[in-house]
Amino acid sequence: MSSFENKKDSNEVFRIIVFLSPFIFLLFFAFLQILNLSYFQADDFKTQSESNRLYQSKIFPQRGFIYDSNDVLLVENNIQQDLQINPNIIENPSFFLKQISDLLELNYSKIESDFFIRATGKNPNEPYFLIKNLSEKQIAKISVNLEKIKGAEIISSFSRNVIHKEIMAPVLGYVGNISKQEIFNNPELTKYSGLKVGKTGIEKDLDSILRGDIGFRIQERDSFGKLVRNISIEPPKKGKNLRLSIDLELQKKLFYDFKGRKGALVAIEPKTGLIRALISSPTYDPNLLNTINDYDEVRNLFSDQDSPLFNRALSGQYPPASTLKPFVGMAALEAKTISWEKEILDSGEYLVEGDQRPYRGWKEGGHGKVDMNKAIIESSDVYFYSLAYDLTINNLSPFLEKFGFGEQSGLTIREGTGILPSRKWKLGYIGESWFKGDTINMGIGQGYITATPLQIAVAYSALANKGELVQPRIIEKIGEENTETVIKKNISLIDDLNWKRIEKSLLGVVEASNGTANNIYDRNIRIAGKTGTAQVKSIIETEYELLRVDKSLRDHALFVGYGPVEEPKLVVVAIIENGESGSAVAAPLVRKAINLYSKK
Amino acid sequence: MKNNPLSFSVNLKINRNQNQILSFDFWIVLSVIVLCFFGLAMIYSASNSLEMTVRQGIYLFVGLVGMFFLAFSNFRQMEVFYLHSFWPALFLLVIVLFFPSENSETKRWIDLGLFTFQPSELIRFILPISAASFLTRNLKTEMKDMWLVILLTFLCFYLVAIQPDLGTSLIVLLAGMLPVIISGFPWVYIYSGAFLGILSLPIIWLNLYEYQKQRVLTLFNPEADIYGAGWNIVQSKIAVGSGGLFGKGFLNGSQSQLNFIPESHSDFIFSVIAEEFGLAGVCMLLFVYGILIFRLLLVAFRSTNRFAKIVSGTLSIVLLAYISINISMVIGILPVVGMPLPFLSQGGTALIVNLLTIGIILSLRKEV
């Protein structure tokens, strides 16, 4: 009996041990895993637990304000309220979204699709914006019901608001999110991610000054993303304010006179280079791009055939046409290939030996016998054909270069350079050698030569200043610091009398009864100027009627003027695309600008 | 016994009978009390709720009273009671399926107004005791008795599994089968049973709920869906790992204090301990558990009574199963199944049942 009991006993103990052992092994294995986690991988997990707990969030700075020269506010920062949601807190998404859509009177299916697109594969702790730019009514409704819609939060941010929209758009530009390309070009921008940066205009050129510095807030948050406490705060630095040289009132009045026509206007103070008005038309509403809420409108803007986003004043490259004639004349006087008084017969066309084609003047039958004064006043083409022919390109190009043709004025890197052709240029770009005919065309500012309205304005400033070529400026003040006038060079002539002579002719353009811009004559204010008609395409006469129908092929109308002549306050270039007659459409704009500005 | 240096015994005199001396294992009582009070502290740390802690304290008090009551009882007198208590327990297991508490989507709890009660916890405790009692009625255990116990065990397993509560149902299976096995179920049948079990794994897999499958799959690749199914495991591992050697300090674990660990006061309380007390704390905890299990097993090994052997053996294995499975699941080496950590996790029924288990084993010790 006893031995049986013993056998039985050991059998039971054996069985207990057998069925105990798997759990002992499991526990042993678990212990090895714990050792692995909390000893060998402890540092890794400590980091993970820290990043779980600590949230570094950016505090975005307020972008600098921009004022006009009279300290009128041009760009401000609106407070935009967005609905931020924290997906981790939302228990029942469809119920939550239904509440939101009912409350805000928004389309449920759109909100739902936005929600699920944003929610997939994202960290549920990371809040994001579901609805941007809430209206006052929506904000009120949400605020009242905030308790019921758990997981929603109203977050304020700044959005850029250009007060005078279209009027200032070409000058100011707009802001937007940092693109991959921008980061590629400037890797430093990565630390500003989340911030909007300038895309064009002043916003882009002075972005680093307007931008300010991002602040940081380190917070401890629980697994629901709920704030536990603030650990540290480094406040953001507001961007610096700017004062522009633009005179808003002037800009506004001139802008309305464009009546939406395509074209550009640049008004510069010749002594200082300060730009008082800069218009490019048609234009756009920069706020549409500053706060992209409606993608359709933005798409329309980018696909508009009239390219409202293109800045014609800075980058539009037009043939300077007859506005180049004073410089050609001056070049010839300086090179002594002609004298001031020398008369040439203008019979309406100019013939060159060995060239079958006659070079026609704009006026049928010509201007008769013309000296340089009359040639400028009446804008004789034949006179300048002859002048350019005698002068040759080798003398003409270097002279024009002195006045800034063919190079950026230094206002911004976004400017066009225009084309100042030379033998070398033509060989390089067109692959042909220079023909005499090219020089002849260039005599009246046609052919290969192009210039931006800004370049023309700078060149005429040098005429108004009798030699001082200033660098144009649009920023008067950065923060508390005033910018200073930069005189790029002083153009010296062999005969200083030539400044006076040319100015006299330019005065004649407006004041003489035979002047091409006599229509804007005003006895109270003496304006010197020059009309121009830039050919869009060389025209064969029979096609002329056809062109009247197709507006986009009509000539561009130009006028450059400065005044009052005694003490020039403003140089103004106006170009109306397809406007045909410089005196009729462009000159009145220039006179108005000078009138308005001199009265100040 | 008296010569064993490992044990120091407290001799208590029972008034009723001067000759009857209850020698009672102080190591077991001490380790259980240490675990329970440590558990209260950890529940407070994990939940930050004084109410929940006090509630658990009340359960602890009730459990301790029950434990000492059973410890001082004479198990031979109680055997008949144990044998028949199976039926009311089974009845409750059926009742819960028809009248479950409405606070949960599963049918695990009976709502008694002031507190809720989990019949499955009761059955996994009653079943092995009454089975042991039934199997040791006669000197020799008969095969037909064994088959009857197996049949009833599968019935209980089924009733718990459909609640659904996969973790506890497997424990019920273990708790019901062990008395049969220990009392001498032929090895041939055990082998074939295990073989059949392995064969039926695909069928079991197909019958699992989607969330249960997800938990198994998550085990192999928790990082695949960090914010979904893998969240619990990933966060719990971070907690254990970031505790390091000495932990972040009591009430200072960021993972638990900031709610990154789910169910931190109940099934995942181990990760809170590991985070706040580190590897050192885990070693201490395992050491205390080790003493407890060792002393409980000694009862089984030393007892000359078959009933005592079977009951203490079974209940010790079940306790160890709870500990090892819970810890393994929290650190991501077993799928997440609802299984509390004995004496530590929040939950009234489990705590009381575990204390009663200790009480019974203590009473068996008289036979040593």
Side-chain angles (χ1 to χ4, degrees), chain A residues 1 4-6 8-55 88 119 121-126 220-229, chain B residues 139-141 174 178 180-187 190 227 231 234-235 237-245 248 254-255 257-261 270 274-275 278-279 282-283 286 293 297 300-301 303-306 309-310 312-314 316-317 320-325 327-328 331-334:
Chain A
M1 189 68 196
F4 171 78
E5 278 290 344
N6 266 341
K8 192 90 182 164
D9 178 50
S10 64
N11 185 26
E12 279 153 358
V13 170
F14 174 69
R15 283 176 181 234
I16 290 172
I17 292 174
V18 165
F19 283 86
L20 192 70
S21 51
F23 298 108
I24 289 178
F25 278 122
L26 182 59
L27 200 58
F28 180 70
F29 189 56
F31 183 74
L32 291 183
Q33 166 79 340
I34 294 168
L35 203 64
N36 173 34
L37 294 178
S38 62
Y39 185 75
F40 296 106
Q41 293 188 53
D43 290 340
D44 188 24
F45 282 111
K46 275 175 186 160
T47 320
Q48 285 192 41
S49 116
E50 284 297 282
S51 65
N52 251 347
R53 161 177 95 94
L54 298 179
Y55 279 69
N88 205 25
K122 285 270 174 68
N123 180 346
N125 294 326
E126 204 170 285
E220 186 173 55
R221 283 174 182 265
D222 69 10
S223 69
F224 306 116
K226 214 178 103 192
L227 178 67
V228 178
R229 63 193 166 117
Chain B
L139 200 61
K140 196 174 180 296
T141 308
L174 181 71
L178 279 175
V180 179
I181 290 166
I182 295 169
S183 65
F185 198 54
W187 283 107
I190 298 173
Y227 301 116
W231 172 265
V234 169
Q235 294 301 334
K237 279 165 86 170
I238 292 174
V240 174
S242 65
L245 287 183
K248 299 174 184 170
S254 60
Q255 287 289 107
Q257 300 304 320
L258 302 175
N259 292 318
F260 284 97
I261 307 170
F270 181 78
E275 187 187 23
L279 189 60
V282 169
C283 288
L286 291 181
I293 298 288
L297 282 170
F301 294 162
S303 177
T304 50
N305 180 285
R306 282 187 71 218
K309 264 190 176 338
I310 294 170
S312 57
T314 303
S316 310
I317 293 175
L320 184 65
Y322 264 109
I323 296 166
S324 58
I325 292 173
I327 293 178
S328 304
I331 59 173
I333 57 179
L334 279 186

Side-chain angles (χ1 to χ4, degrees), chain B residues 20 22-23 72-75 362-368:
Chain B
Q20 191 180 358
L22 174 70
S23 85
F72 290 115
S73 70
N74 183 331
F75 80 88
L362 283 174
S363 75
L364 300 174
R365 213 176 166 281
K366 284 194 300 184
E367 283 298 312
V368 172

